[in-house]
């Protein structure tokens, strides 16, 4: 599928979810924190207390990237694919009034929802930007920390995403995201069904692919930590609905997909040591 078609599909899907917030007891046509095993129980009540209900309701992630990393007052944070803004607002509390948090999203309805949530939260140190995660609209070396929550799997060009993340990070900057990953070899038809179950549009990376691509983009010390591994029973109803014989493929499904924390850092800039080393 082309990048344009995938981006159109993502805009349509997440625009529909944003427009449905408040329209029912749930928040939209897909998994959205309504008891599914992927988006449930990601945030402590002490974290979401005081946030706009709409920001919490439209949380579509597969982890809590703000819990991954220490944020200190005065830092600049960028959330790739910020959705309704829950991780932006949580980060804004931690970097304080001297810090800044950018949320980047390409879906107009999500941006409108996020800005309304910002207004309700009174977060003055937040700015939501329209754009794609493959072409981040920020200058080089302008961000201390990049977070993201189950969004990079939606991109057709994950190498471009990681190159852009590396570009906008300051030397020594940290990359700390939540995403879904594939563990081990999975037959293509089963893999695609699993990806659809967890909401992937473009496809998830294998855990070792994530590490390899982060290194290729220039990052140091990349790690992938699976923290919520999905069992065959989690996906049974979806896979059966897709026409698969779940009992027959159970061994190929069980434990093959997981929500993971992905961490890496941008190396510090080299210290100039002579008349030619900086040329």
């Amino acid at each position: 599928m082309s990048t344009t078609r995938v981006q159109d599909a993502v805009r349509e899907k997440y625009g529909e979810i944003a427009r449905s917030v408040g329209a029912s007891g749930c928040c939209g046509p897909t998994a959205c924190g309504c008891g599914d095993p992927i988006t449930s129980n990601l945030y402590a009540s002490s974290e979401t207390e005081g946030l706009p209900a709409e920001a919490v309701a439209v949380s579509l992630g597969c982890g809590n990237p703000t819990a991954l990393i220490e944020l200190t007052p005065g830092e600049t944070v960028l959330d790739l694919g910020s959705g309704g803004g829950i991780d932006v607002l949580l980060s804004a509390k931690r970097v304080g009034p001297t810090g800044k948090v950018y949320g980047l999203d390409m879906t107009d309805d999500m941006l409108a929802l996020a800005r309304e949530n910002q207004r309700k939260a009174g977060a003055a140190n937040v700015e939501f930007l329209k754009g794609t995660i493959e072409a981040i609209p920020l200058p080089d070396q302008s961000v201390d920390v990049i977070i993201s929550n189950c969004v990079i799997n939606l991109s057709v060009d994950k190498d471009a995403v990681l190159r852009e993340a590396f570009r906008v990070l300051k030397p020594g900057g940290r990359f700390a995201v939540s995403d879904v990953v594939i563990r081990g070899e999975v037959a293509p038809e089963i893999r695609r069904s699993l990806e659809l179950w967890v909401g992937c549009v473009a496809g998830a990376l294998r855990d070792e692919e994530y590490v390899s691509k982060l290194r290729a983009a220039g990052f140091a010390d990349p790690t992938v930590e699976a923290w919520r591994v999905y069992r065959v029973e989690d996906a049974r109803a979806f896979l059966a609905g897709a026409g698969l014989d779940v009992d027959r493929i159970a061994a190929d499904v069980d434990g093959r997909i997981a929500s993971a924390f992905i961490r890496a850092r941008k190396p510090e800039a080299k210290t100039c040591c002579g008349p030619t080393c900086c040329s």
Side-chain angles (χ1 to χ4, degrees), residues 270-279:
K270 292 181 180 178
T271 301
C272 187
C273 56
T276 61
C277 65
C278 296
S279 60

Side-chain angles (χ1 to χ4, degrees), residues 10-91:
V10 171
R11 284 192 187 95
E12 181 178 356
K13 174 181 176 179
Y14 288 92
E16 184 179 358
I17 292 170
R19 292 190 297 274
S20 71
V21 171
S24 68
C26 188
C27 58
T30 187
C32 53
C34 302
D36 70 89
I38 303 167
T39 61
S40 296
N41 303 318
L42 301 179
Y43 301 92
S45 58
S46 58
E47 293 176 291
T48 56
E49 187 177 21
L51 292 182
E54 293 82 358
V56 179
V58 80
S59 169
L60 303 171
C62 55
N64 178 1
T66 65
L68 281 179
I69 198 162
E70 182 179 355
L71 298 177
T72 57
E75 287 192 312
T76 300
V77 179
L78 168 64
D79 183 8
L80 301 179
S82 47
I86 183 170
D87 294 321
V88 170
L89 297 177
L90 289 173
S91 299

Side-chain angles (χ1 to χ4, degrees), residues 201-277:
V201 177
L205 290 173
R206 289 176 56 188
D207 42 10
E208 62 265 36
E209 285 181 298
Y210 234 123
V211 169
S212 176
K213 287 180 180 295
L214 283 163
R215 286 201 175 106
F219 285 97
D221 304 329
T223 61
V224 176
E225 176 192 354
W227 73 276
R228 182 179 280 179
V229 178
Y230 300 108
R231 317 314 309 194
V232 65
E233 292 306 321
D234 294 324
R236 176 177 287 278
F238 180 91
L239 297 174
L244 296 173
D245 182 341
V246 180
D247 290 327
R248 182 180 64 80
I249 65 172
D252 296 320
V253 170
D254 197 52
R256 295 297 190 177
I257 199 160
S259 294
F261 293 147
I262 298 102
R263 301 177 178 89
R265 65 177 177 84
K266 183 172 182 174
E268 296 284 354
K270 292 181 180 178
T271 301
C272 187
C273 56
T276 61
C277 65

Side-chain angles (χ1 to χ4, degrees), residues 44-223:
S45 58
S46 58
E47 293 176 291
T48 56
E49 187 177 21
L51 292 182
E54 293 82 358
V56 179
V58 80
S59 169
L60 303 171
C62 55
N64 178 1
T66 65
L68 281 179
I69 198 162
E70 182 179 355
L71 298 177
T72 57
E75 287 192 312
T76 300
V77 179
L78 168 64
D79 183 8
L80 301 179
S82 47
I86 183 170
D87 294 321
V88 170
L89 297 177
L90 289 173
S91 299
K93 289 183 178 180
R94 294 171 62 184
V95 300
T98 59
K100 176 88 180 221
V101 185
Y102 293 102
L104 174 63
D105 208 287
M106 65 178 182
T107 304
D108 287 328
D109 291 301
M110 272 298 178
L111 287 167
L113 176 62
R115 287 167 179 148
E116 178 62 14
N117 288 333
Q118 176 191 358
R119 185 191 66 76
K120 290 177 179 176
N125 58 342
V126 163
E127 182 177 353
F128 288 100
L129 307 172
K130 183 175 182 179
T132 68
I133 60 176
E134 296 87 358
I136 299 171
L138 286 173
D140 296 356
Q141 302 185 14
S142 57
V143 171
D144 295 294
V145 178
I146 286 180
I147 62 173
S148 185
N149 201 346
C150 236
V151 172
I152 295 175
N153 71 77
L154 303 176
S155 174
V156 170
D157 193 347
K158 296 171 178 63
D159 291 315
V161 175
L162 299 180
R163 285 195 302 268
E164 279 290 271
F166 188 86
R167 178 184 66 80
V168 301
L169 275 175
K170 300 175 184 177
R174 294 101 77 200
F175 178 91
V177 311
S178 299
D179 209 351
V180 290
V181 297
I182 301 291
R183 307 167 79 221
E185 297 291 341
V186 183
E189 66 275 14
I190 298 174
R191 173 174 176 151
R192 191 60 194 139
S193 293
L194 285 172
E195 288 172 336
L196 291 171
W197 174 62
V198 296
C200 289
V201 177
L205 290 173
R206 289 176 56 188
D207 42 10
E208 62 265 36
E209 285 181 298
Y210 234 123
V211 169
S212 176
K213 287 180 180 295
L214 283 163
R215 286 201 175 106
F219 285 97
D221 304 329
T223 61

